[in-house]
Amino acid sequence: MAHKAPKDPNASKVCKASNAPKAPRLHVIPPDPYVPAPPPTRPGQIYFEFRGWFNSKGYWKGNQDLKKLIATFLIPTQRDKLHNGTFRYIMAMENFKCSMKLVHCLCLSRIFTNDRDSISFKIFGYDVSFTLEDFHIMCGLRITSYNVEKPINRERNILKRYFGKSKGVTLKDIRDFMTHNEIPKNDVNHIHVCESDRDAVKLMKILVVESILFGKKTESFMMEEYASIVEDDKVCAEYPWGNVAYDKLIYSLKHALDKQNKFHATEYKLGGFPYPLCAWFYERFPDIREKYIREDEYLDTPQEYFDEKFE
């Protein structure tokens, strides 16, 4: 006769526990949606909490490699015309790179003022403003104290001549055209794709305006009214490019952090031409350049320096 297995003394407890009423499930309360802080209303108030945004990254929409394209598409006589023309001070710059870490810190340091024609920052305890005059001094673009009128809609023959249309031309179309028609190395008898030196220089000026001064991304459509200004040498030389470029930079600085990348919440892109802003900063605070900046670093300031300053 088989022996019965001894009873488990804890079996009754397990049974009672399994038959015990279950604790009610707690209702999960979803987190409240993010509500941005109300914008400042008094002069001197800041827009952003510096430490809460410091790790975000900004990127410039413009074309940092335009110098290379100039070297491969324009022949020497055409480059001379470009370098001695309306944008000669822009062309004199070694490159168009600037410190986006610095620009980001300036965006976070922006303070509210009643002046709509400038942008102000709280830097090392000082309230400083970056004005149209500052922008002009740093990049040499023509400015005016009068209201800039909307460009007149002129004929845009150069676009029709090389792209078969005047509307719907993108910056990528122009770049691809130049890339596919690069000047072969050591080819002294090369026949340029453009009908004249003037056409080649005007196409490059359009890229300078759209990619550098306006800081637009490659996929953007070209603004026809500005292409028509570039096509007229006299009008282009007298046009207040500084006013237009400054306005676009200031607008982008004021709204860049409102338009973060929806797929990467810590990233955003900046338009306009921020190089003069960085140059102005180092002129106002020369000790930073002397102590922390080397000429070959493209105005790039170590992040650790700002960590120390803003503690």
Side-chain angles (χ1 to χ4, degrees):
M1 183 176 180
H3 296 283
K4 292 183 179 180
K7 291 184 178 181
D8 186 356
N10 297 322
S12 59
K13 296 180 181 180
V14 174
C15 182
K16 289 180 181 180
S18 62
N19 295 329
K22 295 182 179 180
R25 296 181 61 182
L26 297 177
H27 179 64
V28 179
I29 302 176
D32 294 331
Y34 169 72
V35 179
T41 56
R42 296 194 306 274
Q45 287 184 311
I46 63 173
Y47 278 82
F48 303 100
E49 182 61 35
F50 194 93
R51 291 202 170 277
W53 282 78
F54 189 80
N55 290 327
S56 295
K57 295 181 179 179
Y59 299 93
W60 184 44
K61 295 179 183 178
N63 177 19
Q64 297 182 353
D65 298 321
L66 189 61
K67 288 279 189 177
K68 180 181 178 182
L69 194 61
I70 292 173
T72 57
F73 180 72
L74 299 182
I75 61 176
T77 55
Q78 296 167 352
R79 290 200 294 269
D80 289 343
K81 289 180 180 293
L82 178 66
H83 293 164
N84 295 311
T86 303
F87 306 116
R88 56 188 176 277
Y89 297 112
I90 302 296
M91 292 297 101
M93 296 177 179
E94 184 178 350
N95 57 73
F96 306 120
K97 298 178 180 180
C98 66
S99 171
M100 285 306 298
K101 286 184 290 186
L102 172 57
V103 174
H104 177 58
C105 289
L106 290 174
C107 285
L108 296 181
S109 304
R110 184 164 70 91
I111 59 175
F112 176 79
T113 65
N114 292 319
D115 187 356
R116 296 183 178 180
D117 298 324
S118 67
I119 187 168
S120 299
F121 311 95
K122 177 78 73 173
I123 302 177
F124 307 150
Y126 297 96
D127 291 1
V128 294
S129 296
F130 179 63
T131 65
L132 173 63
E133 182 68 22
D134 294 322
F135 185 83
H136 163 70
I137 292 172
M138 294 302 157
C139 65
L141 291 173
R142 181 185 176 89
I143 62 174
T144 179
S145 58
Y146 301 102
N147 292 330
V148 180
E149 298 180 358
K150 186 177 180 180
I152 301 174
N153 191 10
R154 300 178 177 85
E155 187 67 23
R156 295 167 293 278
N157 295 321
I158 192 169
L159 297 180
K160 290 183 179 179
R161 188 176 304 137
Y162 296 103
F163 301 97
K165 58 184 179 180
S166 60
K167 294 184 178 181
V169 179
T170 66
L171 300 184
K172 185 177 184 302
D173 293 333
I174 300 179
R175 285 181 55 83
D176 289 347
F177 174 79
M178 293 180 176
T179 303
H180 295 156
N181 293 282
E182 290 183 352
I183 303 171
K185 292 183 179 179
N186 303 321
D187 187 354
V188 295
N189 297 318
H190 174 68
I191 299 176
H192 202 277
V193 65
C194 292
E195 296 179 6
S196 65
D197 289 349
R198 288 165 57 90
D199 282 1
V201 173
K202 287 176 182 178
L203 285 177
M204 190 60 71
K205 282 183 177 180
I206 291 174
L207 277 188
V208 171
V209 169
E210 298 277 355
S211 296
I212 304 301
L213 303 188
F214 296 172
K216 295 170 64 176
K217 56 185 180 181
T218 306
E219 297 78 13
S220 301
F221 288 101
M222 193 184 59
M223 301 179 71
E224 304 161 53
E225 56 267 36
Y226 292 112
S228 65
I229 293 176
V230 169
E231 192 157 358
D232 188 318
D233 291 334
K234 185 175 183 298
V235 174
C236 182
E238 297 176 352
Y239 191 72
W241 293 108
N243 292 68
V244 182
Y246 175 79
D247 288 345
K248 291 185 180 297
L249 172 63
I250 297 305
Y251 180 86
S252 184
L253 289 171
K254 290 182 177 180
H255 298 280
L257 297 181
D258 299 334
K259 302 177 180 179
Q260 288 178 286
N261 190 320
K262 63 182 180 180
F263 299 109
H264 302 281
T266 59
E267 298 180 3
Y268 64 93
K269 292 184 179 180
L270 183 80
F273 185 33
Y275 187 101
L277 174 67
C278 292
W280 162 84
F281 175 86
Y282 292 123
E283 288 291 327
R284 291 296 302 265
F285 301 95
D287 60 313
I288 296 180
R289 170 178 283 281
E290 294 172 2
K291 189 172 182 180
Y292 295 93
I293 307 301
R294 295 201 308 267
E295 291 297 330
D296 61 348
E297 287 184 330
Y298 304 118
L299 304 178
D300 207 359
T301 303
Q303 179 170 326
E304 292 77 10
Y305 178 75
F306 289 99
D307 284 337
E308 297 171 2
K309 281 291 182 181
F310 288 97
E311 281 184 350

